[in-house]
Amino acid sequence: MNPSPSREPAREKVTVRTLRRMKREKRLIVCLTAYEALTARMLDASGVDVILVGDSAGMVMAGRKDTLGVTLEEMLHFTRWASQGVELALLVTDMPFLTYQVNPDEAVRNAGRLMAEGGAEAVKLEGGKHIVGTIKRLVSAGMPVMGHLGLTPQSINVFGGYMLQAVSDEEQKRLIEDARLLEEAGCFSIVLEKIPAGAAEEVTAAVEIPTIGIGAGNGCDGQILVTQDMLGLFTEFRPRFVRRYANIAEDIISAVSRYVEDVRSGSFPGPDESYDGREGQ
Ligand code: KIV
C-alpha cells in the first residue's frame, strides 16, 4: 500500500475529447499562451489545460503593431519551442494571416507543417462561414481545429480597430450562426474574443463544443489570456479584460537596475562569485 496516498487525482493528458467532457461536466477550461519551452513548462506544471502558441507573438515578442506580419516560419519556430515544454496540456497553434485564407489546399499543407514539424496537436483559425470549407478539409485530413469568432485580430483593418464586436442584435444572430457552422464543420472548440457577456452566453448555450472566452464575460466554458499580459510582463497596453496576477516587468527592471549598479560600482562579481584557482566548479 502506498503510505502517503495523494488526494489529488493524477492529471491526465488533455485531448480534444477531454475538453468536450469538461463542458458536459461543467468543469471550466483554463487556457494561456506560450511561445517557447520555458513558459510552456511552467504553465503545464501549473495545471493549464490548453496552451496556445498565439500569433499574438508578433506583438508580444516581435514588438509589431498587429499580428498580420507573423509568418508560417515564425509560428513553426515558436511552436517547436513551446512543444518542448508541454507534457499534459493540449498544444494548439495559431495559423498566421494568409496561411489558410487563400485556398483549402494551402491551408492543409500549412496546418500539416505546424503539426508534423512544429509538434502542435491542433490549429486555430479565425473566421466564420467563409472558412467552413477549409475547416472541413483540415478536420478530414486529421487536424483538429479550434475556431475564433468575435474580435478576430487578423481582420483588424476590416473592423477599423480593436473594438467590441457583436453589439447589435443582427451581429449577435450572425455570431451564433457562425458558431453553429463551425461546430458542424468539425471544430472542437471556439475562442470568443471581446464580445458582450450575454452574447457569449448565448453562443455557449447554442453549441455543444466548448467556448473559450477572452473579454467575453464569465459565461463561457473556459477562459484564455495572453500570459505576458496577466503576468504584467507585456505593458505596452492593457485591455480591460486582462486581470494582472503579477508585475514581472517591474521586477525585471528593478533586478537589472541593481545588476547595472553592481557592475558599475565593481561590487559584482565578489569573491564568492570568482575562482581563486584552487577549487573546482
Ligand atoms: O494570438 C493569441 O494569443 C490569441 C488569443 C489571445 C486567443 O489568439
Side-chain angles (χ1 to χ4, degrees), residues 41-90:
R41 196 169 291 123
M42 290 187 277
L43 303 188
D44 198 89
S46 309
V48 168
D49 300 305
V50 176
I51 296 179
L52 171 72
V53 185
D55 61 358
S56 51
M59 299 169 81
V60 175
M61 305 300 280
R64 302 190 189 123
K65 70 173 184 7
D66 55 40
T67 60
L68 299 187
V70 177
T71 65
L72 184 70
E73 294 308 318
E74 286 173 336
M75 289 307 289
L76 270 169
H77 175 81
F78 288 130
T79 308
R80 263 188 220 115
W81 277 11
S83 70
Q84 299 300 312
V86 178
E87 205 186 318
L88 297 178
L90 179 73

Tab-separated table of all heavy atoms in Angstrom, residues 41-90:
chain	number	residue	atom	x	y	z
A	41	ARG	N	6.538	25.073	-20.053
A	41	ARG	CA	6.778	24.106	-18.974
A	41	ARG	C	6.117	24.578	-17.678
A	41	ARG	O	5.515	23.795	-16.951
A	41	ARG	CB	8.290	23.935	-18.784
A	41	ARG	CG	8.656	22.721	-17.982
A	41	ARG	CD	10.143	22.413	-18.029
A	41	ARG	NE	10.578	21.965	-19.335
A	41	ARG	CZ	11.535	22.532	-20.076
A	41	ARG	NH1	12.177	23.588	-19.622
A	41	ARG	NH2	11.854	22.047	-21.249
A	42	MET	N	6.218	25.892	-17.383
A	42	MET	CA	5.630	26.421	-16.141
A	42	MET	C	4.099	26.368	-16.203
A	42	MET	O	3.444	26.043	-15.218
A	42	MET	CB	6.107	27.854	-15.885
A	42	MET	CG	7.585	27.917	-15.514
A	42	MET	SD	8.120	29.553	-15.007
A	42	MET	CE	8.422	30.341	-16.572
A	43	LEU	N	3.532	26.680	-17.366
A	43	LEU	CA	2.065	26.626	-17.499
A	43	LEU	C	1.577	25.192	-17.337
A	43	LEU	O	0.593	24.912	-16.648
A	43	LEU	CB	1.613	27.162	-18.865
A	43	LEU	CG	2.027	28.581	-19.262
A	43	LEU	CD1	1.319	28.985	-20.556
A	43	LEU	CD2	1.724	29.590	-18.175
A	44	ASP	N	2.287	24.271	-17.979
A	44	ASP	CA	1.922	22.858	-17.914
A	44	ASP	C	1.977	22.382	-16.463
A	44	ASP	O	1.043	21.745	-15.968
A	44	ASP	CB	2.888	22.060	-18.802
A	44	ASP	CG	2.358	20.689	-19.147
A	44	ASP	OD1	1.652	20.551	-20.160
A	44	ASP	OD2	2.645	19.753	-18.389
A	45	ALA	N	3.032	22.757	-15.758
A	45	ALA	CA	3.184	22.333	-14.357
A	45	ALA	C	2.124	22.974	-13.464
A	45	ALA	O	1.798	22.453	-12.397
A	45	ALA	CB	4.575	22.708	-13.855
A	46	SER	N	1.560	24.114	-13.875
A	46	SER	CA	0.535	24.801	-13.070
A	46	SER	C	-0.852	24.225	-13.281
A	46	SER	O	-1.816	24.671	-12.662
A	46	SER	CB	0.488	26.287	-13.421
A	46	SER	OG	1.759	26.857	-13.373
A	47	GLY	N	-0.999	23.296	-14.239
A	47	GLY	CA	-2.297	22.662	-14.445
A	47	GLY	C	-3.137	23.297	-15.544
A	47	GLY	O	-4.349	23.052	-15.611
A	48	VAL	N	-2.523	24.121	-16.386
A	48	VAL	CA	-3.264	24.736	-17.503
A	48	VAL	C	-3.698	23.632	-18.473
A	48	VAL	O	-2.926	22.720	-18.768
A	48	VAL	CB	-2.350	25.787	-18.193
A	48	VAL	CG1	-2.922	26.247	-19.519
A	48	VAL	CG2	-2.120	26.968	-17.247
A	49	ASP	N	-4.947	23.694	-18.955
A	49	ASP	CA	-5.471	22.630	-19.835
A	49	ASP	C	-5.033	22.782	-21.288
A	49	ASP	O	-4.730	21.804	-21.953
A	49	ASP	CB	-7.014	22.627	-19.799
A	49	ASP	CG	-7.556	22.391	-18.396
A	49	ASP	OD1	-7.164	21.366	-17.795
A	49	ASP	OD2	-8.333	23.221	-17.889
A	50	VAL	N	-5.042	24.031	-21.778
A	50	VAL	CA	-4.695	24.274	-23.183
A	50	VAL	C	-3.624	25.353	-23.249
A	50	VAL	O	-3.781	26.424	-22.657
A	50	VAL	CB	-5.934	24.746	-23.998
A	50	VAL	CG1	-5.543	25.081	-25.441
A	50	VAL	CG2	-7.032	23.693	-23.979
A	51	ILE	N	-2.547	25.057	-23.969
A	51	ILE	CA	-1.513	26.072	-24.214
A	51	ILE	C	-1.608	26.455	-25.675
A	51	ILE	O	-1.535	25.600	-26.563
A	51	ILE	CB	-0.112	25.539	-23.843
A	51	ILE	CG1	-0.059	25.259	-22.328
A	51	ILE	CG2	0.966	26.542	-24.256
A	51	ILE	CD1	1.255	24.713	-21.812
A	52	LEU	N	-1.830	27.746	-25.916
A	52	LEU	CA	-1.956	28.251	-27.284
A	52	LEU	C	-0.685	28.983	-27.679
A	52	LEU	O	-0.254	29.908	-26.982
A	52	LEU	CB	-3.139	29.221	-27.390
A	52	LEU	CG	-3.240	29.969	-28.727
A	52	LEU	CD1	-3.688	29.026	-29.856
A	52	LEU	CD2	-4.205	31.154	-28.632
A	53	VAL	N	-0.087	28.554	-28.794
A	53	VAL	CA	1.004	29.336	-29.376
A	53	VAL	C	0.296	30.369	-30.257
A	53	VAL	O	-0.061	30.086	-31.403
A	53	VAL	CB	1.956	28.446	-30.210
A	53	VAL	CG1	3.146	29.264	-30.685
A	53	VAL	CG2	2.413	27.241	-29.408
A	54	GLY	N	0.005	31.519	-29.671
A	54	GLY	CA	-0.807	32.520	-30.366
A	54	GLY	C	0.034	33.341	-31.326
A	54	GLY	O	1.229	33.561	-31.096
A	55	ASP	N	-0.632	33.842	-32.382
A	55	ASP	CA	0.114	34.762	-33.251
A	55	ASP	C	0.243	36.135	-32.591
A	55	ASP	O	0.867	37.047	-33.148
A	55	ASP	CB	-0.489	34.833	-34.668
A	55	ASP	CG	-1.916	35.342	-34.683
A	55	ASP	OD1	-2.479	35.606	-33.607
A	55	ASP	OD2	-2.473	35.477	-35.802
A	56	SER	N	-0.316	36.273	-31.373
A	56	SER	CA	-0.018	37.450	-30.541
A	56	SER	C	1.484	37.563	-30.324
A	56	SER	O	1.984	38.631	-29.949
A	56	SER	CB	-0.739	37.346	-29.194
A	56	SER	OG	-0.483	36.092	-28.585
A	57	ALA	N	2.224	36.486	-30.590
A	57	ALA	CA	3.698	36.526	-30.515
A	57	ALA	C	4.249	37.676	-31.354
A	57	ALA	O	5.266	38.287	-30.991
A	57	ALA	CB	4.279	35.202	-31.015
A	58	GLY	N	3.572	37.993	-32.452
A	58	GLY	CA	4.039	39.082	-33.323
A	58	GLY	C	4.067	40.415	-32.594
A	58	GLY	O	4.926	41.258	-32.851
A	59	MET	N	3.111	40.616	-31.675
A	59	MET	CA	3.078	41.869	-30.911
A	59	MET	C	3.909	41.735	-29.637
A	59	MET	O	4.736	42.571	-29.317
A	59	MET	CB	1.628	42.228	-30.575
A	59	MET	CG	0.789	42.444	-31.821
A	59	MET	SD	-0.967	42.559	-31.485
A	59	MET	CE	-1.116	44.258	-30.948
A	60	VAL	N	3.678	40.629	-28.913
A	60	VAL	CA	4.304	40.463	-27.594
A	60	VAL	C	5.817	40.254	-27.724
A	60	VAL	O	6.607	40.864	-26.993
A	60	VAL	CB	3.660	39.265	-26.867
A	60	VAL	CG1	4.354	38.964	-25.557
A	60	VAL	CG2	2.182	39.525	-26.631
A	61	MET	N	6.224	39.389	-28.650
A	61	MET	CA	7.642	39.021	-28.744
A	61	MET	C	8.394	39.863	-29.780
A	61	MET	O	9.542	40.222	-29.570
A	61	MET	CB	7.797	37.539	-29.124
A	61	MET	CG	7.078	36.590	-28.205
A	61	MET	SD	7.653	36.697	-26.516
A	61	MET	CE	9.143	35.732	-26.632
A	62	ALA	N	7.734	40.114	-30.932
A	62	ALA	CA	8.447	40.812	-32.012
A	62	ALA	C	8.242	42.326	-31.961
A	62	ALA	O	8.910	43.056	-32.693
A	62	ALA	CB	7.997	40.263	-33.367
A	63	GLY	N	7.320	42.791	-31.106
A	63	GLY	CA	7.123	44.234	-30.951
A	63	GLY	C	6.403	44.887	-32.116
A	63	GLY	O	6.471	46.106	-32.286
A	64	ARG	N	5.682	44.088	-32.921
A	64	ARG	CA	4.957	44.685	-34.055
A	64	ARG	C	3.632	45.281	-33.586
A	64	ARG	O	3.161	44.973	-32.495
A	64	ARG	CB	4.694	43.625	-35.126
A	64	ARG	CG	5.966	42.994	-35.635
A	64	ARG	CD	5.681	42.126	-36.862
A	64	ARG	NE	6.869	41.374	-37.200
A	64	ARG	CZ	6.927	40.042	-37.288
A	64	ARG	NH1	5.857	39.321	-37.086
A	64	ARG	NH2	8.059	39.441	-37.585
A	65	LYS	N	3.008	46.078	-34.451
A	65	LYS	CA	1.776	46.781	-34.024
A	65	LYS	C	0.529	45.899	-34.131
A	65	LYS	O	-0.496	46.191	-33.539
A	65	LYS	CB	1.595	48.088	-34.801
A	65	LYS	CG	1.235	47.917	-36.271
A	65	LYS	CD	0.907	49.278	-36.866
A	65	LYS	CE	0.433	49.298	-38.291
A	65	LYS	NZ	0.143	48.107	-39.031
A	66	ASP	N	0.612	44.817	-34.911
A	66	ASP	CA	-0.519	43.896	-35.018
A	66	ASP	C	0.013	42.505	-35.343
A	66	ASP	O	1.234	42.296	-35.378
A	66	ASP	CB	-1.540	44.378	-36.071
A	66	ASP	CG	-0.907	44.623	-37.428
A	66	ASP	OD1	-0.050	43.816	-37.831
A	66	ASP	OD2	-1.262	45.616	-38.092
A	67	THR	N	-0.916	41.550	-35.620
A	67	THR	CA	-0.477	40.162	-35.828
A	67	THR	C	-0.292	39.826	-37.322
A	67	THR	O	0.080	38.700	-37.657
A	67	THR	CB	-1.517	39.176	-35.246
A	67	THR	OG1	-2.772	39.386	-35.902
A	67	THR	CG2	-1.688	39.358	-33.757
A	68	LEU	N	-0.543	40.800	-38.196
A	68	LEU	CA	-0.604	40.482	-39.628
A	68	LEU	C	0.724	40.029	-40.233
A	68	LEU	O	0.742	39.261	-41.187
A	68	LEU	CB	-1.132	41.680	-40.430
A	68	LEU	CG	-2.550	42.136	-40.080
A	68	LEU	CD1	-3.027	43.202	-41.030
A	68	LEU	CD2	-3.512	40.983	-40.089
A	69	GLY	N	1.825	40.503	-39.688
A	69	GLY	CA	3.132	40.185	-40.286
A	69	GLY	C	3.715	38.848	-39.850
A	69	GLY	O	4.795	38.459	-40.309
A	70	VAL	N	3.010	38.133	-38.978
A	70	VAL	CA	3.551	36.857	-38.476
A	70	VAL	C	3.562	35.830	-39.620
A	70	VAL	O	2.580	35.698	-40.354
A	70	VAL	CB	2.696	36.338	-37.297
A	70	VAL	CG1	3.187	34.990	-36.817
A	70	VAL	CG2	2.720	37.343	-36.158
A	71	THR	N	4.680	35.129	-39.781
A	71	THR	CA	4.800	34.185	-40.901
A	71	THR	C	4.667	32.743	-40.405
A	71	THR	O	4.792	32.464	-39.209
A	71	THR	CB	6.176	34.321	-41.587
A	71	THR	OG1	7.174	33.921	-40.632
A	71	THR	CG2	6.433	35.745	-42.047
A	72	LEU	N	4.475	31.852	-41.363
A	72	LEU	CA	4.392	30.424	-41.021
A	72	LEU	C	5.714	29.965	-40.397
A	72	LEU	O	5.718	29.200	-39.423
A	72	LEU	CB	4.076	29.599	-42.278
A	72	LEU	CG	3.866	28.113	-42.003
A	72	LEU	CD1	2.571	27.879	-41.242
A	72	LEU	CD2	3.863	27.306	-43.292
A	73	GLU	N	6.831	30.443	-40.957
A	73	GLU	CA	8.133	30.025	-40.415
A	73	GLU	C	8.275	30.465	-38.960
A	73	GLU	O	8.787	29.721	-38.124
A	73	GLU	CB	9.291	30.587	-41.263
A	73	GLU	CG	9.358	30.030	-42.686
A	73	GLU	CD	9.351	28.490	-42.751
A	73	GLU	OE1	10.037	27.861	-41.939
A	73	GLU	OE2	8.612	27.942	-43.600
A	74	GLU	N	7.807	31.680	-38.651
A	74	GLU	CA	7.882	32.147	-37.255
A	74	GLU	C	7.012	31.267	-36.353
A	74	GLU	O	7.435	30.875	-35.260
A	74	GLU	CB	7.431	33.611	-37.156
A	74	GLU	CG	8.447	34.588	-37.702
A	74	GLU	CD	7.951	36.022	-37.757
A	74	GLU	OE1	6.727	36.252	-37.821
A	74	GLU	OE2	8.800	36.926	-37.757
A	75	MET	N	5.807	30.951	-36.805
A	75	MET	CA	4.916	30.123	-35.978
A	75	MET	C	5.470	28.707	-35.808
A	75	MET	O	5.308	28.090	-34.757
A	75	MET	CB	3.499	30.090	-36.554
A	75	MET	CG	2.736	31.401	-36.403
A	75	MET	SD	2.674	32.045	-34.708
A	75	MET	CE	1.564	30.895	-33.924
A	76	LEU	N	6.143	28.220	-36.865
A	76	LEU	CA	6.772	26.889	-36.752
A	76	LEU	C	7.839	26.905	-35.671
A	76	LEU	O	7.956	25.999	-34.850
A	76	LEU	CB	7.434	26.525	-38.084
A	76	LEU	CG	6.541	25.781	-39.073
A	76	LEU	CD1	7.218	25.729	-40.436
A	76	LEU	CD2	6.261	24.369	-38.574
A	77	HIS	N	8.617	27.986	-35.684
A	77	HIS	CA	9.698	28.151	-34.722
A	77	HIS	C	9.149	28.226	-33.290
A	77	HIS	O	9.560	27.465	-32.416
A	77	HIS	CB	10.417	29.449	-35.133
A	77	HIS	CG	11.489	29.898	-34.255
A	77	HIS	ND1	12.756	29.372	-34.319
A	77	HIS	CD2	11.502	30.837	-33.295
A	77	HIS	CE1	13.499	29.988	-33.413
A	77	HIS	NE2	12.774	30.854	-32.784
A	78	PHE	N	8.154	29.097	-33.063
A	78	PHE	CA	7.575	29.228	-31.714
A	78	PHE	C	6.910	27.916	-31.275
A	78	PHE	O	6.989	27.527	-30.114
A	78	PHE	CB	6.519	30.335	-31.682
A	78	PHE	CG	7.088	31.728	-31.774
A	78	PHE	CD1	6.592	32.636	-32.691
A	78	PHE	CD2	8.103	32.147	-30.934
A	78	PHE	CE1	7.093	33.921	-32.770
A	78	PHE	CE2	8.621	33.436	-30.999
A	78	PHE	CZ	8.108	34.323	-31.923
A	79	THR	N	6.234	27.243	-32.214
A	79	THR	CA	5.513	26.013	-31.862
A	79	THR	C	6.495	24.908	-31.478
A	79	THR	O	6.289	24.194	-30.493
A	79	THR	CB	4.613	25.566	-33.038
A	79	THR	OG1	3.798	26.667	-33.432
A	79	THR	CG2	3.706	24.418	-32.652
A	80	ARG	N	7.580	24.783	-32.272
A	80	ARG	CA	8.614	23.774	-31.935
A	80	ARG	C	9.147	24.033	-30.542
A	80	ARG	O	9.296	23.126	-29.742
A	80	ARG	CB	9.790	23.910	-32.907
A	80	ARG	CG	9.731	22.956	-34.036
A	80	ARG	CD	11.025	23.016	-34.838
A	80	ARG	NE	10.705	22.924	-36.233
A	80	ARG	CZ	10.891	23.867	-37.133
A	80	ARG	NH1	11.438	25.019	-36.797
A	80	ARG	NH2	10.542	23.673	-38.375
A	81	TRP	N	9.445	25.289	-30.245
A	81	TRP	CA	9.999	25.623	-28.934
A	81	TRP	C	8.996	25.310	-27.829
A	81	TRP	O	9.342	24.674	-26.834
A	81	TRP	CB	10.380	27.107	-28.891
A	81	TRP	CG	11.732	27.402	-29.474
A	81	TRP	CD1	12.528	26.558	-30.191
A	81	TRP	CD2	12.443	28.636	-29.364
A	81	TRP	NE1	13.683	27.203	-30.547
A	81	TRP	CE2	13.658	28.475	-30.053
A	81	TRP	CE3	12.161	29.860	-28.761
A	81	TRP	CZ2	14.601	29.490	-30.145
A	81	TRP	CZ3	13.108	30.886	-28.854
A	81	TRP	CH2	14.314	30.693	-29.543
A	82	ALA	N	7.752	25.772	-27.986
A	82	ALA	CA	6.745	25.554	-26.931
A	82	ALA	C	6.508	24.062	-26.728
A	82	ALA	O	6.363	23.595	-25.592
A	82	ALA	CB	5.442	26.260	-27.293
A	83	SER	N	6.497	23.295	-27.820
A	83	SER	CA	6.168	21.862	-27.701
A	83	SER	C	7.175	21.133	-26.813
A	83	SER	O	6.834	20.136	-26.184
A	83	SER	CB	6.079	21.198	-29.077
A	83	SER	OG	7.362	21.119	-29.649
A	84	GLN	N	8.394	21.660	-26.728
A	84	GLN	CA	9.412	21.030	-25.880
A	84	GLN	C	9.065	21.131	-24.390
A	84	GLN	O	9.583	20.367	-23.584
A	84	GLN	CB	10.793	21.690	-26.085
A	84	GLN	CG	11.348	21.583	-27.495
A	84	GLN	CD	11.528	20.135	-27.918
A	84	GLN	OE1	12.088	19.333	-27.188
A	84	GLN	NE2	11.012	19.802	-29.082
A	85	GLY	N	8.191	22.091	-24.035
A	85	GLY	CA	7.876	22.273	-22.614
A	85	GLY	C	6.540	21.673	-22.206
A	85	GLY	O	6.154	21.748	-21.045
A	86	VAL	N	5.813	21.103	-23.159
A	86	VAL	CA	4.449	20.638	-22.862
A	86	VAL	C	4.408	19.134	-22.649
A	86	VAL	O	4.928	18.364	-23.456
A	86	VAL	CB	3.482	21.008	-24.017
A	86	VAL	CG1	2.082	20.494	-23.726
A	86	VAL	CG2	3.451	22.517	-24.202
A	87	GLU	N	3.775	18.755	-21.546
A	87	GLU	CA	3.632	17.327	-21.280
A	87	GLU	C	2.155	16.930	-21.286
A	87	GLU	O	1.744	16.034	-22.009
A	87	GLU	CB	4.250	17.033	-19.913
A	87	GLU	CG	4.712	15.604	-19.747
A	87	GLU	CD	5.183	15.360	-18.328
A	87	GLU	OE1	5.878	16.231	-17.768
A	87	GLU	OE2	4.804	14.318	-17.768
A	88	LEU	N	1.341	17.631	-20.504
A	88	LEU	CA	-0.059	17.215	-20.329
A	88	LEU	C	-1.086	18.122	-21.003
A	88	LEU	O	-2.171	17.672	-21.354
A	88	LEU	CB	-0.390	17.138	-18.826
A	88	LEU	CG	0.422	16.106	-18.040
A	88	LEU	CD1	0.063	16.155	-16.571
A	88	LEU	CD2	0.187	14.701	-18.580
A	89	ALA	N	-0.759	19.385	-21.163
A	89	ALA	CA	-1.727	20.310	-21.780
A	89	ALA	C	-1.902	19.976	-23.257
A	89	ALA	O	-1.049	19.314	-23.860
A	89	ALA	CB	-1.239	21.747	-21.621
A	90	LEU	N	-3.029	20.426	-23.824
A	90	LEU	CA	-3.236	20.308	-25.275
A	90	LEU	C	-2.530	21.502	-25.925
A	90	LEU	O	-2.766	22.656	-25.536
A	90	LEU	CB	-4.740	20.357	-25.589
A	90	LEU	CG	-5.097	20.259	-27.069
A	90	LEU	CD1	-4.896	18.826	-27.591
A	90	LEU	CD2	-6.544	20.691	-27.308
